[in-house]
Amino acid sequence: ELFKSEMELDVNDLSTESNLKAVPYEVMALAVNGFMLVYAFSIETIYAMFLKDNFGFGHTTLSALFAMNGVLVGLMQLLVMKHIVGKL
């Protein structure tokens, strides 16, 4: 009888609103960050397959495209993000 009462769940404990309030902000930020990282890496793979299948880009062209993208993202973080964060 004691074991059974510990396993029963209250319907109020399952509401989404109460569960979200119980999760600390830092944990939610880490979960969202993890989702965004997985999404970003998966979209790059799909993007490469899309360019290869639809435009016939080879490994050299895709490598150059991703290298250029990396340089532009780095410059964006170096030059633009500093000003945006400074205004916050």
Side-chain angles (χ1 to χ4, degrees), residues 7-22:
M7 295 300 293
E8 290 178 4
L9 295 174
D10 187 10
V11 176
N12 294 330
D13 290 341
L14 298 176
S15 70
T16 305
E17 186 177 328
S18 67
N19 286 338
L20 287 178
K21 288 180 182 177

Side-chain angles (χ1 to χ4, degrees), residues 44-68:
E44 280 187 4
T45 304
I46 293 169
Y47 183 61
M49 291 187 292
F50 172 78
L51 291 176
K52 181 182 176 192
D53 292 342
N54 291 321
F55 300 107
F57 288 176
H59 294 291
T60 305
T61 307
L62 288 172
S63 299
L65 184 66
F66 282 124
M68 184 175 62

